[in-house]
Amino acid sequence: MFRRAPVLTLALLTSLVLAACGSGGSGASDSGGEKVLRVAGEGTYSPFSFHDPKDGNELTGYDVDVAKAVGKNLGMTVEFTDVPFDSIFAGLEAGRYDVVANQVSITPERQELYDFTTPYTVSTGAIITRADDDSITSLASLSGKTTAQSTTSNWAQVARDAGAKVEAVEGFTQSVALLKQGRIDATVNDDLAALDYLKTTGDEGIKIAARTDDTTQQAMALKKGSDLTPKIDGALEDLRADGTLAKISDTWFGADVTQ
């Protein structure tokens, strides 16, 4: 993921004021007797947490909808704060909010520092080709082919390791443009990026030809020892069992990416 430089937003300033008023860092805040779940996300990270200009600039996204569903299950009001990703964990540690819901990948390093809920997103690597190209069916099929990748992405190395020649591009959209022009054979990326592109554009000129073995799980992050962690886990279990998570996923990606 590419991250922007930290910017102190109005929403973050609001959260600082609220934090200064004395809400607890290990659990939810209490506003006038009403339990509030304070959730942080970037607010600029489509389709996960972003302000949609087509809908009055309202905060929306996959992670936003999951957080709202968790709050409803727990009988809590959800209060969102926009925070640049570079600052998001510092704010969590400072108790400015209770949970980060922003496609946070679970890693051993992060697990040493934070609590993680059960995953609500599972992503894999995807090989995207032109819709009429049936010559690529696996990573091994990329040997001798040309792909387009961001040079800072781990997918560039995945393509090289498979024997592909890699053309440098700035991002997924440019890769797709080169692919449709016939200048490259494929591009490798996170399947969530591909699914979001296909869902939002309806582009029938490309397809996901195969998936790689790379799997990443994303979850909500909380302070170590937070009493909210088991509660949110229970809510996510309920939402998975009743089909709510799958429905939210289908709305945003046209597929179930929750398991």
Side-chain angles (χ1 to χ4, degrees):
M1 298 179 184
F2 295 97
R3 302 296 178 195
R4 291 147 296 282
V7 176
L8 194 61
T9 64
L10 177 61
L12 178 54
L13 289 171
T14 302
S15 72
L16 287 168
V17 173
L18 290 172
C21 292
S23 55
S26 63
S29 61
D30 194 330
S31 178
E34 183 180 28
K35 289 296 182 181
V36 178
L37 181 65
R38 301 171 302 161
V39 178
E42 285 183 88
T44 56
Y45 186 25
S46 175
F48 304 104
S49 170
F50 67 104
H51 292 269
D52 190 353
K54 298 177 182 177
D55 190 25
N57 217 36
E58 286 293 317
L59 182 67
T60 188
Y62 172 70
D63 288 69
V64 171
D65 284 353
V66 171
K68 286 179 178 178
V70 166
K72 182 177 181 180
N73 179 276
L74 296 176
M76 302 172 71
T77 299
V78 182
E79 177 185 279
F80 291 98
T81 300
D82 293 352
V83 189
F85 194 81
D86 288 346
S87 309
I88 211 163
F89 289 106
L92 179 65
E93 293 167 359
R96 295 169 188 154
Y97 28 81
D98 307 304
V99 58
V100 176
N102 195 82
Q103 287 299 290
V104 180
S105 297
I106 302 173
T107 67
E109 294 78 13
R110 286 174 176 167
Q111 286 179 308
E112 291 181 3
L113 301 173
Y114 310 105
D115 276 0
F116 279 92
T117 64
T118 54
Y120 60 93
T121 314
V122 178
S123 59
T124 62
I127 303 171
I128 299 97
T129 67
R130 288 181 293 278
D132 60 357
D133 185 354
D134 296 324
S135 67
I136 298 174
T137 57
S138 66
L139 267 178
S141 304
L142 290 179
S143 180
K145 303 286 189 178
T146 300
T147 73
Q149 315 292 152
S150 168
T151 54
T152 59
S153 167
N154 62 303
W155 302 116
Q157 191 58 50
V158 169
R160 289 191 191 97
D161 290 344
K165 176 185 176 182
V166 175
E167 297 284 346
V169 292
E170 294 180 357
F172 182 68
T173 302
Q174 188 178 357
S175 297
V176 171
L178 294 180
L179 180 61
K180 295 178 70 174
Q181 292 166 11
R183 296 168 60 183
I184 61 170
D185 302 300
T187 183
V188 186
N189 210 304
D190 189 293
D191 68 338
L192 295 183
L195 289 169
D196 175 52
Y197 174 84
L198 292 170
K199 175 73 174 179
T200 56
T201 67
D203 190 344
E204 298 181 351
I206 67 169
K207 67 180 179 182
I208 296 177
R211 283 180 166 82
T212 74
D213 293 331
D214 306 275
T215 301
T216 305
Q217 295 181 325
Q218 287 79 31
M220 296 184 187
L222 301 92
K223 290 181 70 174
K224 270 291 186 183
S226 172
D227 57 9
L228 280 171
T229 305
K231 295 177 182 179
I232 295 177
D233 276 344
L236 288 171
E237 182 178 351
D238 290 345
L239 297 171
R240 192 182 307 279
D242 69 13
T244 299
L245 285 182
K247 183 178 180 180
I248 293 172
S249 175
D250 187 66
T251 297
W252 288 101
F253 302 106
D256 186 1
V257 300
T258 66
Q259 56 191 346

